Amino acid sequence: VADQWKIQVLYIPTVLSSIILPIISNQNNKNDFCRTIKINLIINIITTLIISSIVALLCNVILRGYGHEFAKDNVPFLILNYTTLLISVSNIIMPILISKNRVVEGLFFNIISSVIILLCGMAFIDRGMGALGLSIALLLSYLVVVPLEFLYIYYKKKSVWN
């Protein structure tokens, strides 16, 4: 249930982040390129924050709609709900990499994220944490990958933006 709502929260930010690719692909000016990315990043963060906050406020109502078993524990739901903020930020990075022909680096970040999710998810499930463990695993993966993506962009910006 939490994953389904995570997808719903990310729908609009994902659409907005996909719009950036054709725009930045045609920009040759570094300042315009950076400004476009900053604007899109701010819009994505605000949009995701608004949507995820509304979903968090309605969390108990939403979960009751799925039955009493789901309504007992809203923590995995809330963790995934707020993980969407990190995901929407990360979704801005891939179009940047694609526009500069750096898809392999994007694959590298996806591999890191997947490995963290798998290893942490298995460890948490082995400890009987179930859905809570999986939601924490996803959160941890994005807490690691998003800073790595920004560090990569920061240190490679001369080659990425030229």
Side-chain angles (χ1 to χ4, degrees), residues 37-38 41-42 45 85-94 96-97 109 142-157 160-161:
I37 291 168
K38 286 177 187 176
L41 186 60
I42 290 167
I45 289 170
L85 189 59
L86 291 169
I87 296 169
S88 73
V89 169
S90 182
N91 284 348
I92 298 294
I93 302 299
M94 195 56 161
I96 295 170
L97 297 175
F109 292 125
Y142 279 97
L143 284 172
V144 170
V145 169
V146 169
L148 286 177
E149 290 172 333
F150 277 94
L151 283 172
Y152 174 80
I153 295 294
Y154 178 78
Y155 286 110
K156 295 287 189 175
K157 67 181 171 185
V160 171
W161 288 327

Side-chain angles (χ1 to χ4, degrees), residues 54-66:
I54 292 168
V55 169
L57 288 172
L58 298 172
C59 171
N60 292 328
V61 173
I62 292 168
L63 291 175
R64 274 193 300 248
Y66 289 93

Side-chain angles (χ1 to χ4, degrees), residues 8 11 34 46 64 84 90 123 126 133 139 142-143 145 150:
Q8 298 305 315
Y11 178 73
C34 292
I46 291 170
R64 274 193 300 248
T84 58
S90 182
D126 285 347
L139 174 61
Y142 279 97
L143 284 172
V145 169
F150 277 94

